Each structure stands twice: as C-alpha cells, then as structure tokens.
Amino acid sequence: MNTLELASGLSGRVVVTLGGEAVAQVKDVVFDGPAGRITGFTLSGRGLLAGPMKRSLPFSGVHAIGPSAVMIAGETVFEDRDAVVGRGEAEHGKVLGAPVLTEHGTGIGTVADVVVETGASGRVVGFEILAEDHLDRRHRKVFVPRGEALAVSGEALVVPAHAQHFVADDLPSFAAQAEAFLTHTRRPGGGRPS
Amino acid sequence: MMLFSRTIGLPVITGDDATSLGTVRDLTLDAAGAVVAGVRLSGGPDRTDALPWTAVAAVGPDALIVRSRHAADPEQTPLPAHHSPLGSRVLTDLGTEHGTVQDIAFDAASGRVLTLYTALGDIPGARLLGLGSYALVVRAQP
C-alpha cells in the first residue's frame, strides 16, 4: 500500500540494500517535472563528516521507498551523478519556489514542496503550495493534486481557479483527496492523463 | 527446534575424541538461503574461531557436538560474512521497520531458519532476504 509523503522528507533517508547494508543516504530528490515522476536521488555518505557522493541512484534502481529506508537491490544500481542529475535537476530547481497562478492569471502562492507516492511508484501526485493572503488568510499550506494543475513547467504552475477547494491542513487529509482523485483517473477511459 | 539464545554459550565438544573447541559465541546466518551457515567460537584451545554448520553433529540442551576436529576446519567451507542477527534492526523490502530481532528458531539438523521473533510479531524464516551490518531484511507480507 503506497502512502504519500513530502519529497523534502526523503532527504536524509538511509539507502539500504536487500542484503542489509546501509550504503548511502538521500541528499536530494530529482524530479522530471512535466512527466510527474521522481527521476532519482543524489546521495551523500552516511555519518556527520560524509560529503556528497559521486554516484547517484536512478529511480529504476529503487526497489521501494519506505518510511524508514529507501531499499535497493545492491550498489550496482548506482549510476554516475550526471546520468541522474542531467535528466532532471534543471526542472527540480525551478519547481520549488515557482509561482502558482490560476487559469485567470491570479497569483496564489509559490510551490513549497512536492507530494510523492512512496513504495515502488515514485509518482508525483501533487504540490504543496504556500498560499498568499487572498487565498487563505491563515497562511495554511494548500495541497493541489497534480492532475488538477493545468500546466507545470520549470517557470510556473497553473491551477484551476477553484484551487481553494483543496485547502488541507495536513498531508493525511490531502491523501484522502488524492486517493479519490487517483482512483478516478486510473479508471480505464477516465479521460484525464495521470 | 532450537533457539539462537539457547545455543549461544553452549560448550562445543568434538564427537570423536570428546575434546573442547570452546563455547558458541554466535551463529552465522546465510540469510539468502535462510539457513545457519556456521558457528562462531570463543575460548577455543587452538585459535579456531569459526566452524561450518556442516561440521555440527548435534545441538543438545547442554552442548553442541561437532563431528570431528577435522570437520571443524573452516578452511574447507568458506563462511559468509558474520553479522550478529540478535538485536539487529528488521526492515522489510518495502523499507518499513519491523522492530529488532529478539530470537531466532532454527531446525538443529538442517540449520534451516524457522521463525524470527521480533517485538512486533513473528516472521517466518522463509521471508528472510538478507542480513548486513545495518539491518536484517525480510520480504514484506503480500
């Protein structure tokens, strides 16, 4: 059963082989913004003094993303850093902090984080948006399912004007919404690209 | 059926000449095969610190009997790297923690791992996938 997590929460998670060895920890999550997937992870060594590693982890080498560890078959799945970063970092760097606009051209906030499905899927299911005043006075975090976003690019996220409906205080209540949404889009002939 | 906790500390005696090879310090797992692969010894007279499970003739309540001193020569059968399983963190292959290993039940004759006991419940030995310095990995329940 896959659950939802904020991508920022994956940083620092230990990378463990199925043989039970901890070989690295996640440094950053690299996204392919338009395709809505995790491309892979950059890695750092384990321990206080360990720096970034030259190798990185393509998502194809991930056995599962779990709450306690990212599991891989073995260190052989690591690739050169450029192979993973080259594919997606430009997008990732810009998606976080990118302005969020409604389809009518009103700015409603900025992208604060990316919501991903854990397990073996690596799907980006939504975005956490730091709302501006006129959307939510209490400055709550707003979660927008990815399929609701009309367009995603490195420069901006365009969402339907009714994005306020997705105001959710926390990830669990978003999870319920996203679950309903995904069930809908996964139905054959559901019509919406997922 | 035998338990790791009851085996550790047993005196190790040869069956052919009834001499002591020390005591059981720990058992080495072949996690991929879900079997006990060897015995780590301490306090032996001749620096033998490990012997393959194939050399073990019997595990009783009071001693572990080795067929012969010759059979106990670890040079004959290379053992997998030793990681102490008791107390090890348990992770499923989906990356979820499942407590720590409290004890392991195994079949004394074949060395087959029967059950892993954790604070969060028992895990059949057949679900064992790996054991390293960080964790013991088991297949998640389907």
Side-chain angles (χ1 to χ4, degrees):
Chain A
M1 150 97 204
N2 292 337
T3 52
L4 302 183
E5 268 202 72
L6 290 174
S8 60
L10 296 175
S11 293
R13 194 154 303 175
V14 63
V15 178
V16 181
T17 67
L18 293 180
E21 296 292 342
V23 289
Q25 64 182 31
V26 173
K27 187 163 165 280
D28 279 310
V29 185
V30 183
F31 297 102
D32 176 351
R37 295 201 162 270
I38 296 177
T39 315
F41 301 99
T42 61
L43 304 171
S44 58
R46 301 194 63 235
L48 271 176
L49 300 175
M53 285 167 66
K54 290 208 175 75
R55 314 287 281 163
S56 55
L57 174 58
F59 196 81
S60 58
V62 172
H63 182 83
I65 301 171
S68 304
V70 174
M71 305 301 290
I72 60 171
E75 280 179 271
T76 50
V77 303
F78 288 167
E79 281 181 14
D80 283 338
R81 203 164 178 282
D82 293 348
V84 171
V85 174
R87 275 183 237 150
E89 191 175 58
E91 299 295 340
H92 171 228
K94 288 188 221 151
V95 169
L96 294 189
V100 182
L101 303 163
T102 68
E103 53 194 328
H104 304 310
T106 315
I108 59 169
T110 52
V111 177
D113 212 331
V114 179
V115 183
V116 295
E117 200 173 45
T118 58
S121 96
R123 287 157 51 96
V124 171
V125 297
F127 300 92
E128 183 190 54
I129 289 161
L130 193 58
E132 279 171 15
D133 270 356
H134 56 270
L135 179 66
D136 180 46
R137 273 183 206 194
R138 285 188 282 157
H139 282 267
R140 281 181 296 184
K141 300 282 176 70
V142 184
F143 290 101
V144 179
R146 190 173 69 87
E148 286 292 319
L150 295 176
V152 190
S153 79
E155 290 164 66
L157 185 69
V158 179
V159 299
H162 64 264
Q164 295 85 315
H165 295 249
F166 294 100
V167 172
D169 275 320
D170 52 4
L171 206 49
S173 48
F174 173 72
Q177 290 178 2
E179 197 60 43
F181 178 77
L182 289 173
T183 313
H184 175 74
T185 54
R186 274 171 192 166
R187 205 185 306 137
R192 235 189 248 270
S194 62
Chain B
M1 194 277 271
M2 196 63 195
L3 290 170
F4 266 48
S5 61
R6 285 205 208 130
T7 311
I8 291 165
L10 285 180
V12 178
I13 309 289
T14 57
D16 59 343
D17 56 5
T19 54
S20 169
L21 291 178
T23 57
V24 178
R25 183 157 58 84
D26 206 349
L27 298 176
T28 300
L29 275 183
D30 166 8
V35 292
V36 180
V39 182
R40 308 288 293 188
L41 302 172
S42 58
D46 56 356
R47 302 205 161 271
T48 309
D49 65 350
L51 55 89
W53 192 254
T54 50
V56 174
V59 190
D62 302 308
L64 185 145
I65 306 295
V66 172
R67 280 209 299 277
S68 68
R69 190 171 289 267
H70 174 69
D73 186 354
E75 311 246 312
Q76 297 188 359
T77 325
L79 292 176
H82 179 75
H83 300 288
S84 189
L86 294 193
S88 172
R89 171 194 289 108
V90 179
L91 278 178
T92 71
D93 65 331
L94 297 183
T96 310
E97 279 200 32
H98 199 279
T100 56
V101 180
Q102 295 183 323
D103 212 339
I104 298 175
F106 63 100
D107 178 68
S110 63
R112 197 161 55 87
V113 174
L114 302 174
T115 311
L116 306 160
Y117 298 102
T118 77
L120 295 177
D122 303 349
I123 302 167
R127 278 170 54 198
L128 242 180
L129 284 178
L131 172 64
S133 53
Y134 184 77
L136 182 146
V137 181
V138 296
R139 198 173 294 112
Q141 218 145 15

